[in-house]
Amino acid sequence: MTTGPPNAQRTGQIPALWSAPSKNLLRPLLPYEDPPTEAELANHTPRSNSVDWIDDHLKSTCISPTDPSDEQIVALVKQRGYDDALIPLWDMFNHANGRYTNTRQTSVRDAEGVRVYASKEIRAGDEVFASYDRCADCEFVNLVWGTPEIFRDFGFVEPYPHRYHLEERIWFEIVEVDEKDGDKGNDGDGSGFRVLWDDGITWPDVDNYGNPDREGIEFLEREVTKFESALARMSEVPEEERGMVSQYISTVIFDYKLAIAAAERDLELEEEDEDSSDDDEEEDEVEEDEDEVEEGDYVDDDEYHEEEEEDDDEENENESGRDEL
């Protein structure tokens, strides 16, 4: 990567402008809208709009295929613009969500222009952050975008919280926890993180995929294997891009393993609850059977006593008859 004049946007920051080895490594690891065609897969030349969108869609239509400055202009609008709007100063703010977020804004299409407010106390020297995916104009983006999309479109790994919206109906967020507040993370594992699934309560607007089942966990495990295989090929990536690519892959592996561990614990608890429920049902059935047996014994005992009384009456009648004789 090259660096421009002081205070200028560096060139080559987004994956779409990285080298061929980096793109080859990232294609199967980044979200895309259009999957590779059968011909591309057969020829081992898959394309992905996650990293090929400038080459495939813009160089043939609206920018020069040979002028790097055109690519830089496109990258600037992609990284710093709000759709088609560039807002001096505001569009240079860095991104953060969660406890780091300290601003809120009105829509960039507001009749009075965009207005930015502090959402918490900002002290002298504090960095001011904007959210790139949870803003006034983000609409549904905050539900379907996450850490992979931020990396794909902006070229960096965002600070926590991290969010993932995967094709296999898996949606989760990983947040940092503060042990000083007594929160030790999932199941008190002391990891410093908590995995939040879309339970329909925390995020009522999502599709409510719930916790992953066994198949979902196996999918995540396969994804970890895929990312670990890519990490083993980092020597193919140019040194100036290696740090960011490696950080992204390592982050996803770490987050997926946290999610797998949390899902395994949740699944074990569900299975224990089911076993406990089955045991309770069996105990209830046994008690009902015992009650039926006791009730039957009681009825039989009554019948026995009634029969004894009838026999006694017969004997008494016989004895009375003998006395008369």
Side-chain angles (χ1 to χ4, degrees), residues 223-235:
E223 287 294 288
V224 168
T225 299
K226 181 174 72 175
F227 275 79
E228 288 177 338
S229 298
L231 193 61
R233 296 168 48 201
M234 286 306 303
S235 59

Side-chain angles (χ1 to χ4, degrees), residues 14-30 46-48 50-55 59 71 237-238 241 245:
I14 60 176
L17 296 180
W18 288 352
S19 64
S22 292
K23 290 182 179 181
N24 291 338
L25 195 68
L26 289 171
R27 278 190 188 95
L29 307 181
L30 288 174
R47 307 293 289 176
S48 170
S50 62
V51 294
D52 298 314
W53 59 275
I54 291 179
D55 292 337
K59 285 187 176 181
E71 291 183 343
V237 176
E241 297 167 359
V245 176

Side-chain angles (χ1 to χ4, degrees), residues 171-190:
W171 191 103
F172 63 93
E173 188 171 79
I174 297 179
V175 299
E176 292 177 297
V177 298
D178 191 348
E179 294 191 14
K180 295 179 181 178
D181 296 333
D183 192 340
K184 297 185 180 298
N186 285 91
D187 199 30
D189 59 7

